[in-house]
């Protein structure tokens, strides 16, 4: 089974088992670039307030701007960036229902439709998927970075391989290890993950070789900002980011995974499907079930009431 199929099978299993937002392929760095394969974002006390705003991602710069739910502010004064960028952020925030606008003397002012609940998420669990431990690549450095940065609350390695003591000795002790069978969905905890110090400053490894290691410090405030951005991205993105192919053979399984009977496996539509496939039979893609499955199995709300109190006609203007 491919790493892609392994990842989707694990996401499907976690979606069934955990009361959390499940997402995949998200950046979890502060200064550098690090993509974690799978993330679980567990609800916090303010989750229902967040879910009531929008089913989509709220743009982090809008959350971090000088716009609040009180007095409306002139839109250009609310962002510390180029006006074109500020304009696009206002449009985005209005579109998802986080900002509302009003006109005063020919100028556009914005305010939050509701106060953003910073406590909407609790723990974030990061999972690195490595089905075959015989081909570890940069796994050791990646996991060490995750632990020393401590952006997520727990780090787990998920594998299909038999896990030996030698494997465990090569990864940080704080990293949990799961053995996962994607065919049966059985998950065995080989080693429990240790909680990481997310509230403290962290050390991010930005380069490492046999001779030297380059690091940068991430402050507690920088980490808190990055955690909120990761959580928002996870909420809006989910994990079914693939499009089902336009082929008569595709037959999504009960988890909405792109199973192909012709190839007898889960396929990656972007690379495995299309006219280059010998079994390609053009047809309309199957009706999507991803959102309905996500809504039924996770706390995500697909169609919230929203908080916007938009005045008629005013949502067309962000021009001066």
């Amino acid at each position: 089974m491919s790493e892609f199929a392994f990842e989707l099978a694990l996401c499907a299993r976690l979606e069934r088992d955990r009361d959390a937002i499940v997402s995949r392929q998200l950046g979890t760095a502060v200064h550098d670039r690090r993509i974690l394969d799978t993330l679980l974002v567990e609800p916090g006390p303010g989750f229902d307030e967040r879910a009531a705003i929008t089913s989509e991602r709220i743009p982090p710069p809008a959350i971090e701007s000088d716009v609040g739910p009180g007095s409306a502010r002139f839109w250009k004064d609310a962002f510390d960036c180029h006006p074109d960028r500020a304009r696009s952020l206002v449009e985005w925030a209005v579109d998802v229902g986080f900002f509302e606008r009003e006109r005063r003397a020919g100028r556009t002012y914005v305010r939050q439709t509701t106060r953003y609940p910073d406590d909407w998420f609790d723990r974030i669990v990061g999972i690195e998927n490595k089905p075959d431990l015989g081909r570890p690549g940069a796994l050791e450095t990646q996991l060490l970075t995750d632990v020393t940065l401590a952006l997520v609350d727990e780090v787990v390695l998920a594998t299909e391989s038999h896990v030996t003591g030698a494997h465990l000795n090569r990864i940080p002790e704080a990293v949990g290890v799961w053995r996962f069978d994607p065919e049966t969905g059985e998950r065995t905890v080989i080693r429990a993950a240790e909680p990481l110090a997310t509230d403290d400053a962290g050390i991010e490894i930005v380069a490492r070789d046999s001779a030297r290691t380059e690091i940068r410090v991430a402050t507690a405030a920088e980490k808190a900002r990055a955690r909120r951005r990761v959580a928002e991205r996870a909420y809006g993105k989910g994990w079914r980011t693939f499009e089902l192919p336009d082929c008569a053979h595709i037959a999504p399984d009960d988890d909405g995974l792109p199973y192909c009977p012709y190839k007898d496996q889960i396929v990656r539509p972007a690379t495995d499907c299309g006219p280059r496939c010998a079994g390609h039979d053009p047809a309309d893609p199957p009706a999507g079930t991803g959102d309905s499955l996500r809504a039924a199995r996770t706390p995500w709300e697909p169609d919230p009431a929203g908080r916007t109190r938009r005045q008629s006609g005013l949502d067309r203007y962000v021009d001066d």
Side-chain angles (χ1 to χ4, degrees):
M1 180 175 284
S2 70
E3 189 163 332
F4 175 77
F6 178 91
E7 186 168 294
L8 295 193
L10 179 59
C11 285
R13 182 75 263 171
L14 293 173
E15 184 180 69
R16 289 175 177 271
D17 293 346
R18 304 287 283 267
D19 182 31
I21 298 298
V22 185
S23 192
R24 49 183 290 271
Q25 297 297 310
L26 295 181
T28 54
V30 173
H31 300 298
D32 198 41
R33 187 175 187 274
R34 167 71 171 121
I35 305 295
L36 263 169
D37 293 325
T38 304
L39 279 101
L40 299 176
V41 180
E42 299 178 353
F47 184 89
D48 289 344
E49 296 174 48
R50 167 61 186 86
I53 301 172
T54 177
S55 63
E56 301 176 55
R57 176 193 183 194
I58 299 173
I63 299 169
E64 298 156 8
S65 72
D66 291 331
V67 179
S71 299
R73 299 203 55 172
F74 179 47
W75 68 277
K76 285 185 180 179
D77 293 340
F79 295 88
D80 184 19
C81 61
H82 190 279
D84 288 347
R85 171 65 173 156
R87 181 181 290 107
S88 67
L89 288 168
V90 169
E91 293 291 350
W92 183 358
V94 170
D95 285 346
V96 300
F98 185 58
F99 278 5
E100 60 186 354
R101 298 185 265 218
E102 61 185 69
R103 298 282 285 183
R104 299 179 189 171
R107 301 177 71 174
T108 300
Y109 289 74
V110 293
R111 80 175 84 224
Q112 290 181 10
T113 58
T114 187
R115 188 175 300 281
Y116 183 82
D118 282 312
D119 62 347
W120 75 263
F121 64 93
D122 189 7
R123 298 192 320 146
I124 302 177
V125 179
I127 304 163
E128 181 68 16
N129 299 320
K130 190 63 65 175
D132 183 2
L133 291 181
R135 296 183 294 173
L139 180 63
E140 184 178 351
T141 297
Q142 291 171 334
L143 294 176
L144 181 61
T145 301
D146 297 333
V147 170
T148 59
L149 178 59
L151 186 71
V152 298
D153 296 88
E154 288 183 0
V155 178
V156 173
L157 169 65
T159 184
E160 193 175 2
S161 296
H162 174 67
V163 181
T164 68
H167 289 136
L168 295 176
N169 289 336
R170 285 198 293 267
I171 62 175
E173 291 185 6
V175 175
V177 180
W178 296 344
R179 191 176 185 196
F180 177 68
D181 185 336
E183 298 290 348
T184 65
E186 183 179 353
R187 179 173 61 91
T188 303
V189 178
I190 305 297
R191 184 170 78 187
E194 297 179 7
L196 303 178
T198 55
D199 292 336
D200 298 339
I203 302 297
E204 185 169 4
I205 300 172
V206 297
R208 188 188 190 204
D209 57 34
S210 58
R212 62 190 294 271
T213 298
E214 182 181 346
I215 64 171
R216 290 190 65 179
V217 175
T219 67
E222 288 173 327
K223 286 173 53 177
R225 181 171 176 242
R227 279 171 60 82
R228 184 174 60 234
R229 290 186 171 220
V230 168
E232 271 298 329
R233 181 66 172 144
Y235 191 89
K237 182 179 182 181
W239 62 271
R240 293 180 183 86
T241 57
F242 50 86
E243 296 287 341
L244 293 175
D246 53 352
C247 178
H249 286 298
I250 204 71
D253 67 7
D254 291 342
D255 293 311
L257 304 188
Y259 174 73
C260 174
Y262 177 80
K263 295 184 176 180
D264 191 24
Q265 63 183 18
I266 301 297
V267 294
R268 188 170 199 154
T271 57
D272 298 338
C273 303
R276 289 177 296 179
C277 173
H280 181 62
D281 184 4
D284 290 335
T289 58
D291 284 354
S292 59
L293 286 170
R294 189 184 185 203
R297 296 177 180 178
T298 76
W300 177 73
E301 173 56 57
D303 189 25
R307 302 298 195 195
T308 305
R309 304 180 302 276
R310 216 176 266 150
Q311 298 182 48
S312 178
L314 295 187
D315 58 343
R316 298 194 305 270
Y317 302 102
V318 179
D319 50 12
D320 53 14

